[in-house]
Amino acid sequence: KQMGFKPYAIVWNGKAAMENDPHFDKDITVIDYKNIFQYVVDIIKLSLQGAVFYAASYEWQSFIVPFLARNTIFVGHTQPKRKTAFRQKIQNFVFKFYKALRFVNDAERDFLIEQGTDPKKIHVAPLVVSQEVYKLTNTGERKDLVYFGYITLKKNLATILKALEIVRQTHPDTKLHVVGKVRDEFPQTEGVIRHGYVADYDELVKIMNSTLIFVNSSIDEGQ
């Protein structure tokens, strides 16, 4: 936006969820495509208008982008090592056609170079959060654990819950605060406080600052 671009988001069946987010930027036009034909047409149409495409998923929708558009950047937010050699070969092939690749640390960069990716394409830019929102406000007593983020299958919350049971055997007063939208159900467990999705930043900061240790057991997000 600061460079004069008009932002678009091309999504599958997620327009309402994005636009209903209280922090959603209303300047973004959300295109909710219904089928592969519409998806391809939208990409080609925007590419002819000089669009720069950012793709972030390891799905077919992202993998066909560099073959349809001219200005393409892959913005990885999970590790680039795939679970099978076949998937790795497909990814390595697709990456040859992206104009640029962004990953979050040097280890991912080195891995991609080993896989034959052109080093000049790779740009390391660590993930950052807003320090205006996520900041330390409580230097007094803090305790308990917190998981913050979407609750999805890949977040592997089951492992965190197993660990909590072990911890509570010697520290029975320990609580786990779970903050985020639930997209993968998890069982009711003693010692777990569910806050759900917290839209109010002030309330979110208050919860985070009352806890002491952040826990994460994600399967493939090596941050």
Side-chain angles (χ1 to χ4, degrees), residues 103 145 184:
F103 285 89
L145 315 173
D184 179 50

Side-chain angles (χ1 to χ4, degrees), residues 6-123:
K6 166 65 180 175
Y8 291 84
I10 303 177
V11 301
W12 166 258
N13 199 29
K15 181 175 182 178
M18 289 184 69
E19 294 183 338
N20 290 335
D21 187 321
H23 307 301
F24 179 72
D25 186 341
K26 301 302 182 183
D27 287 337
I28 300 174
T29 298
V30 181
I31 300 174
D32 198 347
Y33 68 91
K34 305 302 180 185
N35 52 60
I36 178 62
F37 176 75
Q38 181 187 349
Y39 179 72
V40 170
V41 169
D42 286 335
I43 290 178
I44 295 175
K45 181 174 65 176
L46 289 171
S47 179
L48 292 174
Q49 297 173 14
V52 177
F53 287 86
Y54 291 83
S57 70
Y58 293 96
E59 299 174 344
W60 65 264
Q61 290 95 328
S62 291
F63 278 15
I64 68 172
V65 167
F67 302 100
L68 300 173
R70 289 175 289 189
N71 302 314
T72 57
I73 302 173
F74 188 86
V75 186
H77 63 274
T78 59
Q79 66 183 21
K81 185 177 181 179
R82 305 277 57 83
K83 294 181 180 179
T84 68
F86 178 69
R87 290 184 177 181
Q88 191 70 57
K89 288 180 180 179
I90 293 176
Q91 176 185 285
N92 294 344
F93 175 74
V94 171
F95 278 2
K96 293 180 183 298
F97 296 90
Y98 271 99
K99 292 295 188 295
L101 307 165
R102 176 269 197 183
F103 285 89
V104 300
N105 58 56
D106 290 335
E108 293 179 341
R109 179 182 185 275
D110 294 343
F111 174 78
L112 289 171
I113 292 174
E114 290 175 2
Q115 294 295 312
T117 304
D118 183 353
K120 295 190 293 294
K121 287 187 175 184
I122 306 171
H123 303 268

